[in-house]
């Protein structure tokens, strides 16, 4: 059985103490409450402070929770709100398209799948919640890169690996794809990531009209495309789903 890392346990206990007690606590109070030497407690607090998880009041020298924890907590709540708002609409999209539906958000230089609705044909499928997809080749990733400046920067700074001979890896070609995505309001991936597989995705915005995720369908090329072109009714269905989720998040009409 793997051993716990003591310093992380102590840091977690410190954060819980600051969250559950008085608004601000001094070094002696924190050390005494956790049974730590002052030097040990100060070292942990200093590290947490450098990472933005703890702040120190200049006047009193006391410590409180930092803004970085609030940012992480807000992100957690945003993702859960996004999933909750998207449940009905993604189910409808799977039924109307006959394909699997993925909901993705930006995470660690890639797309994190936070919701997955199976293709409604009773075939054997693998749940992909928690899976990561690349930004530069997938429809979800291109949508995020086109609308989210942070995703755009991360996609350009990361290695753009060729998955198939259709993958666009050079920076100029990738920027052209993003321009096309913004102009059309959706992104496509036709065998750029997986042979024989195509995807269509559109952006989801929140009440501030900020991009918070993307929704898309994925399936066999022969089902999503006809005569080499993606089926327009599937494109429309994906865009309608993204607009519906955006409206439920307070974005209004797009």
């Amino acid at each position: 059985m793997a051993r716990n890392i003591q310093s992380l346990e102590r840091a977690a206990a410190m954060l819980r103490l600051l969250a559950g007690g008085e608004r601000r606590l001094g070094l002696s109070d924190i050390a005494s409450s956790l049974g730590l030497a002052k030097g040990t407690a100060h070292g942990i607090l200093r590290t947490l402070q450098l990472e933005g998880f703890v702040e120190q009041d200049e006047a009193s020298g006391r410590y409180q929770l930092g803004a970085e924890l609030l940012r992480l907590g807000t992100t957690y709540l945003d993702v859960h709100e996004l999933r909750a708002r998207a449940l009905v609409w993604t189910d409808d999209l799977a039924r109307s398209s006959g394909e699997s539906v993925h909901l993705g958000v930006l995470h660690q230089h890639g797309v994190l799948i936070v919701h997955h609705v199976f293709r409604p044909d009773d075939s054997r499928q693998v749940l992909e919640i928690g899976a990561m997809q690349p930004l530069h080749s997938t429809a979800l990733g291109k949508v995020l890169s086109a609308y989210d400046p942070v995703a755009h920067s991360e996609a350009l700074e990361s290695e753009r690996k060729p998955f198939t001979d259709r993958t666009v890896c050079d920076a100029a070609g990738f920027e052209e794809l993003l321009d096309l995505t913004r102009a059309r309001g959706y992104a496509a991936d036709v065998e750029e990531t997986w042979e024989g597989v195509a995807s269509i995705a559109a952006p989801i915005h929140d009440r501030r009209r900020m991009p918070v995720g993307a929704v898309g369908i994925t399936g066999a090329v022969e089902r999503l495309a006809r005569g080499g072109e993606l089926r327009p009714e599937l494109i429309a269905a994906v865009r309608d789903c993204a607009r519906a989720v955006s409206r439920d998040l307070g974005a209004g009409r797009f």
Side-chain angles (χ1 to χ4, degrees), residues 2-174:
R3 296 178 59 186
N4 292 341
I5 300 174
Q6 188 180 55
S7 58
L8 292 179
E9 289 182 330
R10 288 173 170 174
M14 205 167 282
L15 293 173
R16 292 192 188 98
L17 179 66
L18 291 170
E22 299 176 21
R23 179 173 172 80
R24 295 191 180 106
L25 293 172
L27 174 61
S28 297
D29 298 324
I30 294 170
S32 176
S33 296
L34 300 179
L36 299 175
K38 282 188 178 180
T40 301
H42 183 262
I44 296 171
L45 284 167
R46 179 63 177 164
T47 301
L48 291 172
Q49 186 178 359
L50 290 172
E51 294 298 328
F53 296 134
V54 164
E55 296 174 355
Q56 186 178 28
D57 180 65
E58 292 184 4
S60 67
R62 290 173 171 265
Y63 294 90
Q64 64 184 28
L65 295 179
E68 182 64 12
L69 276 178
L70 176 61
R71 187 189 70 80
L72 292 176
T74 301
T75 301
Y76 175 83
L77 291 174
D78 284 349
V79 169
H80 280 260
E81 183 182 7
L82 174 61
R83 285 188 71 250
R85 299 291 185 180
L87 289 177
V88 172
W89 300 112
T90 50
D91 283 348
D92 287 348
L93 179 59
R95 281 193 295 270
S96 65
S97 68
E99 302 296 343
S100 61
V101 177
H102 295 92
L103 187 68
V105 298
L106 177 66
H107 181 70
Q108 295 182 350
H109 304 281
V111 183
L112 174 67
I113 303 302
V114 297
H115 185 55
H116 175 199
V117 183
F118 283 163
R119 186 172 64 252
D121 62 1
D122 296 326
S123 62
R124 184 170 181 173
Q125 299 170 64
V126 177
L127 188 66
E128 296 183 21
I129 293 175
M132 293 291 294
Q133 293 186 2
L135 285 170
H136 70 285
S137 64
T138 61
L140 292 172
K142 282 184 273 190
V143 162
L144 292 175
S145 299
Y147 288 91
D148 185 337
V150 176
H152 180 229
S153 297
E154 292 186 357
L156 289 177
E157 293 168 2
S158 302
E159 178 187 4
R160 291 179 296 280
K161 176 182 175 181
F163 296 103
T164 73
D165 58 7
R166 293 172 177 262
T167 310
V168 177
C169 299
D170 65 287
F174 182 62

Side-chain angles (χ1 to χ4, degrees), residues 229-244:
E229 297 292 331
L230 291 169
R231 292 164 54 191
E233 68 271 23
L234 294 180
I235 295 172
V238 171
R239 295 191 68 194
D240 286 346
C241 177
R243 291 191 193 102

